Amino acid sequence: QPPDMTRTSVATAMLCVLFLHSCKRPEAKKVDARDLPNQLVQKLTDIIVVDIFTPPVASRIYANCSIAMYEALRHRDSSFPSIASKLKGFGSMPSPKTGETYDFNIAAIHSFCETAKKVTFSAPEITAYQDSMTKAYSQGLDKQTVERSIEFGRSVAAVVADRLSKDNYKETRGMERFEVKTELKAAWVPTAPDYADGLEPHWPKMMTMALDSAGQVPALPYPAYSEDKSSAFHAEMKEVFDISKNLDDEKIDIALFWDDNPFVSRHKGHVMFQDKKMTPGGHWMAITQTACRKKGLDEVTSAKAYVWTSVALYDAFIACWQTKYQTARIRPQTAIQRLLEEQWISYIQTPPFPEYTSGHSTTSAAAAEMLTEIFGDGFAYTDSTELPYKLPVRSFTSFREAAKEASISRVYGGIHFRSGCDNGNEQGRRIAAILLSKLK
């Protein structure tokens, strides 16, 4: 102890040191850059659930936001080419200026979020998230690099926005409702409990991304409507009815796990309330997230996986909806009530659009093929993405196995005939094959 310091002064000095140490700003939490695409897509899913977008519209949101993210992020690795240049309707993407420094994670945050603000209803929430993420990723960077990166991300988003303005979405919002032909026994009609109009009847008019047209991949024929008890149609209908009378716990779990109805109405007397869940596309984007994290992919490869999956979902919805409204096929609920049991109701709520082909089957098969190409066949994983909706986890040995289960779940749920599911699954695989021929 120095001669001029008393014990009291030493104690005081020590307290001051401890006080100053406790007042130091905590170190900034280091970001996990590899997880950035997963975080961005998860935030988008949360917003889609709250905003209640229909499954086809949600696929448009996922595809455009994912492309914007990838086209900004890919410049981290020169071996990753532009994907937008291989798709329809996109202009030339901007390139970073030679000799200038960028943080392409920040650029991706802004390309993704600026695009998301144009296709959702939650711009204030997205802006707040965008600012928070930018702050986290700006630690240790000079102001000029941050600003340059933000501007680059916005320039990518501007190219995506240009395509959004001409993909026919706005035009389809003002088109007429689907005309229900009640005089045709084979035709789809609105079903209980809401008797809603046909959902997105003009979705086939949307500009595809990789397919030449909505009708490029027609579905196989299906059994024609017949009231003959020996007909193939009657056999399909009877299968759905018989399954509904003998649902075991496993089939119920499968039906509920893959329900993915973004807006399920519940009725109690004169009161109606709603349950919100992920869309079918959102479920496959969540599966993509699970695979990316399990594999430990870098951010650019993860971004590519999201683009491949979301573009497949988007084009598959367009092709499927083309088939749906061309065939306008009757739903099991209508047929069974007419021919077998008047008060019969499907186990899960029948959605408001024609039966053929199954949207779940078509889109799931397309997404599964894209993921199989990236991660390989036999990629086993546990799907816990439905836990927030109080559904248990399920495990799969491959994406294709999951797609087949998603498909048959619609028969278990009583909303599809088997041909709608099997032929939808086949339609989705052919769609993916065309996409892969262009994107690989």
Side-chain angles (χ1 to χ4, degrees), residues 128-146:
Y129 179 76
Q130 182 178 2
D131 292 343
S132 173
M133 292 291 281
T134 302
K135 183 177 180 180
Y137 276 83
S138 296
Q139 299 295 325
L141 297 177
D142 61 88
K143 182 179 179 182
Q144 291 74 23
T145 297
V146 173

Side-chain angles (χ1 to χ4, degrees), residues 319-373:
C320 179
W321 252 242
Q322 169 86 348
T323 305
K324 281 185 179 295
Y325 283 99
Q326 274 188 341
T327 60
R329 191 191 193 193
I330 191 172
R331 283 279 184 177
Q333 183 161 299
T334 305
I336 291 173
Q337 287 180 350
R338 179 185 299 158
L339 301 174
L340 295 178
E341 186 178 292
E342 188 176 354
Q343 299 301 319
W344 188 89
I345 297 290
S346 57
Y347 185 80
I348 61 175
Q349 192 171 114
T350 296
F353 40 83
E355 189 272 344
Y356 194 82
T357 51
S358 159
H360 268 56
S361 304
T362 308
T363 57
S364 293
E369 291 301 305
M370 306 305 281
L371 290 171
T372 298
E373 183 68 28

Side-chain angles (χ1 to χ4, degrees), residues 24 59 62 109-110 139 206 254 338 378 391 406 439:
K24 284 176 64 180
S59 73
Y62 282 123
I109 291 167
H110 284 265
Q139 299 295 325
M206 293 292 294
I254 290 172
R338 179 185 299 158
L391 294 172
L439 296 181

Side-chain angles (χ1 to χ4, degrees), residues 286-299:
I287 291 171
T288 304
Q289 178 191 102
T290 296
C292 288
R293 283 177 170 162
K294 179 178 179 181
K295 195 76 173 178
L297 296 184
D298 63 85
E299 55 264 56

Side-chain angles (χ1 to χ4, degrees), residues 192-194 255-257 259-277 345-350 386 389-391:
D194 298 327
L256 294 176
F257 184 80
D259 185 16
D260 294 326
N261 188 337
F263 186 80
V264 179
S265 60
R266 309 289 186 190
H267 295 257
K268 267 193 173 183
H270 297 290
V271 178
M272 184 183 79
F273 58 97
Q274 297 83 35
D275 286 341
K276 297 179 182 180
K277 291 187 288 187
I345 297 290
S346 57
Y347 185 80
I348 61 175
Q349 192 171 114
T350 296
E386 295 289 344
Y389 311 103
K390 301 178 182 179
L391 294 172

Side-chain angles (χ1 to χ4, degrees), residues 17-325:
V17 169
L18 288 171
F19 176 78
L20 291 172
H21 179 76
S22 67
C23 291
K24 284 176 64 180
R25 292 178 60 187
E27 291 186 12
K29 184 179 179 181
K30 292 184 179 179
V31 296
D32 182 2
R34 293 194 308 175
D35 203 46
L36 176 61
N38 302 319
Q39 295 174 19
L40 291 173
V41 173
Q42 180 59 59
K43 182 64 177 179
L44 186 61
T45 293
D46 294 342
I47 286 169
I48 289 172
V49 169
V50 171
D51 285 353
I52 318 177
F53 288 103
T54 67
V57 175
S59 73
R60 175 181 182 255
I61 296 171
Y62 282 123
N64 284 281
C65 291
S66 296
I67 289 167
M69 172 174 64
Y70 172 83
E71 292 294 335
L73 202 51
R74 71 180 180 87
H75 294 283
R76 285 180 58 88
D77 187 334
S78 60
S79 68
F80 285 81
S82 170
I83 293 179
S85 64
K86 301 177 183 181
L87 303 174
K88 290 167 57 179
F90 288 97
S92 298
M93 285 290 173
S95 297
K97 294 180 181 179
T98 304
E100 299 282 14
T101 57
Y102 294 85
D103 185 288
F104 295 112
N105 291 317
I106 292 176
I109 291 167
H110 284 265
S111 61
F112 186 95
C113 291
E114 289 301 318
T115 302
K117 283 187 276 188
K118 288 181 172 62
V119 290
T120 67
F121 304 135
S122 300
E125 182 179 350
I126 294 170
T127 298
Y129 179 76
Q130 182 178 2
D131 292 343
S132 173
M133 292 291 281
T134 302
K135 183 177 180 180
Y137 276 83
S138 296
Q139 299 295 325
L141 297 177
D142 61 88
K143 182 179 179 182
Q144 291 74 23
T145 297
V146 173
E147 291 177 349
R148 192 180 301 116
S149 303
I150 292 172
E151 183 56 34
F152 181 68
R154 287 177 173 169
S155 67
V156 171
V159 176
V160 178
D162 180 65
R163 188 192 192 279
L164 286 167
S165 71
K166 59 187 181 184
D167 67 358
N168 293 332
Y169 181 75
K170 289 181 180 179
E171 290 77 2
T172 61
R173 300 307 91 188
M175 292 180 178
E176 68 279 4
R177 297 178 181 180
F178 178 69
E179 182 183 355
V180 178
K181 298 180 179 179
T182 55
E183 71 278 9
L184 300 178
K185 285 189 174 182
W188 173 81
V189 295
T191 52
D194 298 327
Y195 299 97
D197 292 326
L199 183 145
E200 297 292 348
H202 302 289
W203 199 252
K205 297 181 177 69
M206 293 292 294
M207 185 197 304
T208 54
M209 288 195 172
L211 295 180
D212 293 338
S213 67
Q216 185 180 354
V217 186
L220 296 172
Y222 57 88
Y225 177 84
S226 173
E227 297 184 5
D228 183 348
K229 292 184 178 180
S230 64
S231 66
F233 174 81
H234 197 280
E236 280 204 315
M237 176 185 63
K238 189 67 163 53
E239 178 191 29
V240 176
F241 180 75
D242 289 343
I243 287 174
S244 74
K245 296 298 183 180
N246 298 280
L247 280 175
D248 56 28
D249 290 343
E250 176 70 2
K251 288 184 176 65
I252 289 173
D253 285 347
I254 290 172
L256 294 176
F257 184 80
W258 293 104
D259 185 16
D260 294 326
N261 188 337
F263 186 80
V264 179
S265 60
R266 309 289 186 190
H267 295 257
K268 267 193 173 183
H270 297 290
V271 178
M272 184 183 79
F273 58 97
Q274 297 83 35
D275 286 341
K276 297 179 182 180
K277 291 187 288 187
M278 286 190 297
T279 63
H283 195 151
W284 279 97
M285 294 295 276
I287 291 171
T288 304
Q289 178 191 102
T290 296
C292 288
R293 283 177 170 162
K294 179 178 179 181
K295 195 76 173 178
L297 296 184
D298 63 85
E299 55 264 56
V300 187
T301 308
S302 290
K304 171 187 169 182
Y306 284 116
V307 174
W308 279 27
T309 304
S310 60
V311 170
L313 291 166
Y314 174 79
D315 272 7
F317 267 113
I318 293 175
C320 179
W321 252 242
Q322 169 86 348
T323 305
K324 281 185 179 295
Y325 283 99

Side-chain angles (χ1 to χ4, degrees), residues 370-388:
M370 306 305 281
L371 290 171
T372 298
E373 183 68 28
I374 294 172
F375 295 95
D377 201 6
F379 185 91
Y381 68 96
T382 296
D383 186 347
S384 59
T385 57
E386 295 289 344
L387 279 175

